[in-house]
Structures are given as C-alpha cells and as structure tokens.
Amino acid sequence: MFSLEDITQSVHNWLYETMNPTLALMVEFAIIGVLVIALFAFLGLVLVMMERKVSSWMQLRLGPNRIGPWGWFQTVADTLKLIVKEGMTPNNVDRLLFNLAPILVIIVSMVIMAPLMFAKGFQIWDINIGVLFVSAVSSLSVIGILMAGWASNNKYSLLGAMRSGAQIVSYELSAGLSMLTIVVLTGSLKVSDIIQAQETGWWLFKGHIPAIIAFVIFIIAATAETNRAPFDMAEAESELTAGFHTEYSGMKFALFFLAEYVNIFVVCAIGATLFLGGWMPFHVGNWEQFNHIMDYIPTPIWFFGKTFFLIFVIMWFRWTFPRLRIDQLLNLEWKYLLPISIVNILLVTVIALAGWHF
C-alpha cells in the first residue's frame, strides 16, 4: 500500500541529524505552516472554480469560459482583484476586533487541519483525542463571526452574526453526536485508530443503519455549520446584503471567503475519515484478491477523492434546495435532527456492546 511515511520520516531524521533539536523542531513547524498555507491557496482556487462549474452544469449554462482554457483562470483573476483591492474600514467600528475577526476565523480553519490524515503516514498531529479536538476547535469560529458582526457597527452585520451564532451552536450538537456514533463503534477518539478500524470495510457499510443515519445527519449539520445554502441565514443576500461581513473588503473579505471554502473541505474530510475510511482503500471483509487490487490506488487519491465527492454533494444541496427561514432552520435541528441523533446514539451503543456490526 502506498505510504508517505518513509518520506516524512527521512525528512524528520535528516533535520535532527543536521541541526540541534530545538532548531529542527522550528524548521518542521515552518515546513508544516508553508504546506498548510499552500493547501489553503490551492483549495481556494479549486473549490471556487468547482462551485461555479457545478452550478453552471446544474443550471444548463456554460459558467466561466473567458479567462484561460475553459475559464480555469477565472479564480486566479478574482484572487488578484481581491489582493489589489483597497481594504476600507468604516467609521465608528471597533478597529481591534474588526481587524482581528477574519484572522481568528482563518486561524481556526488552519488548526483544524492538524489531526486530519491526508494519506497513510502523512499527518500533522496524531493526537489521541483527535475527534474531540476537531469538534472543540471548530466551535471557536463562531467567536470570529460574532466578533465581526458586532465590531462592524452595522445592524445587518449584527443580525447576520447572531443568526450564524444560533445556527452553528445548534447544529454542532447533531454533528457531534453523529461523530460520536463512529467513536462508539471504533472505541477510540484517535483519527489513525478510526481509519485502521475500517480496514475490513468502511463504517458507512459495516455500521448498519445507525451509521447511515449518522452520516446523513452529519452531512446536513455540516452544511448548516459552514453557512451553506439552504442554511445560509448568516449571509442571506436578499435580506442582509452580505451578513456578518457586509463591511469587509479587500483581503479581510478574502480571508472570510477563503475560510468558508476551507471549512467545507475540512468538514468533508472529517466525514470521509469517519464514515468512508479516510485514506483507507475500499476493502470488503476477507476478499484478499479484491482488497489487494484496491491497495494499488495511492492513498492520497482515496482521501481526496472521497472528500471531493462529499464537497460535490454539499454543492449539489446549494443549487437544489431553496433557502429556509430562520425558524424552519432551528425547528429542523431541535425538533428532528437532535432527537433522532440521541435515539441513534443509544441504538449504536447497543450494537457496539452486542458486537452486531460487521
């Protein structure tokens, strides 16, 4: 099976052989930071273009088709526009919080990357509470959104921020319980253990009905947590102009825009890891010949293929369903998804204790 562990280990050994331990650790941190920033830039360009192409495909139109071959350089042109655009700061804003909010949101998105396993042997930090770490850190993004809405000194921004706060806090409950379903089946919070437990089959298939229910609820809750349509109450353009980032422009707006798409990637990567095996190839029980053939496909292709499939599903939601009202959005969570999640977690506990999963 293809693994990047040899590469990462050789770089680690070379750094510690040629430098003192403190300097080697600092260089490793710098390399990781550069790789994460490069991944952010790549995701920003690719996902925005993917969004436009998916929407045009679903609406039977061409989409971007002027800049570059088939319009693929459109997002590069948009990025250059945002870089050179002047960043305006309105009067009577809280300048410290106004400038800090987009930085906080993008930092949270970066930190969540730590436990993700992009390929076999390629992970920033294999912490033993990986799932809990992701759930805890991701909830901090709402602080940046509330900070942006309040500091903008704009009623539309404040309304958008309050809606977003209520939405994210509500849907985190269902998302957390869905993730807990897989933790119960695996018996570990560690990301590498969860992936290894799916060596004989992905939890979506061998976890029976509770795993399927948890997967559906997770996708719905993840769509709501990332403020995506039909749950984009925080950015309802027809009502709130642009929601919590109405007053932002230039690179500050670009950071919010980038964080939204990176968060889509992160939640889909978590979903792919928990329910679809992460980098683990598609294995079926003891079918050794079939499993051996699947192992020839490199593990990064498995991980990114599953992740981008879930991203496509979330984009499919956006261009299919109309926007909900705020009361409908909260009713869906508190009256339907949360009770179903609570019953589902009890059911999966019985299945795990009885050993009824495959």
Side-chain angles (χ1 to χ4, degrees):
M1 189 184 296
F2 180 83
S3 174
L4 296 175
E5 191 170 2
D6 294 339
I7 299 173
T8 55
Q9 194 62 42
S10 61
V11 171
H12 174 80
N13 293 337
W14 179 80
L15 287 174
Y16 276 82
E17 288 170 2
T18 55
M19 305 175 187
N20 66 67
T22 304
L23 182 58
L25 184 62
M26 292 298 105
V27 172
E28 283 187 341
F29 286 165
I31 293 172
I32 291 168
V34 169
L35 290 176
V36 170
I37 292 171
L39 178 62
F40 269 42
F42 172 77
L43 291 174
L45 294 173
V46 171
L47 293 182
V48 173
M49 195 65 201
M50 181 178 172
E51 175 94 78
R52 290 171 167 172
K53 288 295 186 182
V54 168
S55 67
S56 64
W57 174 63
M58 290 187 175
Q59 296 170 354
L60 299 178
R61 54 186 179 82
L62 294 177
N65 58 8
R66 291 288 187 272
I67 303 176
W70 301 287
W72 284 105
F73 293 158
Q74 179 66 55
T75 52
V76 178
D78 292 341
T79 303
L80 292 174
K81 181 197 77 173
L82 286 172
I83 290 173
V84 301
K85 190 178 180 67
E86 181 183 2
M88 303 294 292
T89 302
N91 295 327
N92 302 321
V93 302
D94 187 319
R95 289 182 177 272
L96 175 62
L97 298 183
F98 185 82
N99 294 322
L100 184 60
I103 298 172
L104 178 61
V105 169
I106 204 75
I107 286 175
V108 170
S109 300
M110 286 186 174
V111 173
I112 301 174
M113 291 280 185
L116 295 181
M117 210 164 187
F118 299 95
K120 185 178 181 182
F122 196 77
Q123 186 181 20
I124 297 173
W125 189 22
D126 194 14
I127 184 173
N128 60 354
I129 53 167
V131 175
L132 179 62
F133 178 88
V134 168
S135 182
V137 173
S138 62
S139 62
L140 296 176
S141 63
V142 73
I143 297 175
I145 292 172
L146 290 171
M147 193 184 293
W150 184 84
S152 295
N153 193 30
N154 180 306
K155 61 183 178 183
Y156 296 112
S157 298
L158 183 59
L159 280 171
M162 295 299 289
R163 283 183 175 185
S164 181
Q167 179 175 322
I168 293 175
V169 170
S170 298
Y171 279 85
E172 270 182 354
L173 297 171
S174 292
L177 288 174
S178 300
M179 295 162 69
L180 195 58
T181 300
I182 303 303
V183 172
V184 170
L185 288 171
T186 306
S188 175
L189 289 164
K190 198 173 183 179
V191 171
S192 58
D193 290 344
I194 292 172
I195 294 174
Q196 201 59 45
Q198 301 177 75
E199 188 175 8
T200 57
W202 302 341
W203 279 125
L204 181 63
F205 302 123
K206 69 176 186 175
H208 294 300
I209 294 175
I212 297 173
I213 295 173
F215 177 71
V216 172
I217 292 175
F218 178 83
I219 293 297
I220 295 172
T223 306
E225 278 203 74
T226 51
N227 290 324
R228 298 279 301 175
F231 306 106
D232 59 337
M233 285 291 98
E235 303 172 20
E237 294 88 352
S238 57
E239 304 169 27
L240 302 176
T241 60
F244 60 89
H245 53 64
T246 298
E247 300 293 352
Y248 285 88
S249 61
M251 279 307 297
K252 294 188 188 76
F253 169 76
L255 289 178
F256 278 120
F257 193 67
L258 177 62
E260 177 183 336
Y261 280 96
V262 171
N263 287 336
I264 296 170
F265 173 82
V266 168
V267 296
C268 290
I270 294 166
T273 299
L274 295 177
F275 298 96
L276 302 176
W279 56 260
M280 185 67 69
F282 180 60
H283 289 166
V284 180
N286 296 320
W287 294 13
E288 293 185 6
Q289 292 280 40
F290 177 81
N291 296 343
H292 187 62
I293 294 171
M294 292 292 102
D295 289 344
Y296 278 110
I297 301 175
T299 53
I301 293 178
W302 280 110
F303 175 80
F304 284 100
K306 297 169 188 176
T307 302
F308 274 88
F309 168 73
L310 295 183
I311 291 171
F312 171 76
V313 171
I314 287 181
M315 290 180 178
W316 191 356
F317 286 171
R318 174 172 185 175
W319 302 107
T320 303
F321 298 108
R323 180 184 297 134
L324 300 177
R325 295 195 313 265
I326 186 67
D327 61 312
Q328 294 173 327
L329 183 143
L330 294 177
N331 280 340
L332 175 63
E333 164 61 16
W334 292 101
K335 292 184 179 179
Y336 297 97
L337 295 187
L338 185 59
I340 292 172
S341 297
I342 293 172
V343 173
N344 194 53
I345 199 71
L346 294 174
L347 181 59
V348 80
T349 303
V350 172
I351 288 175
L353 289 174
W356 290 341
H357 56 79
F358 294 116

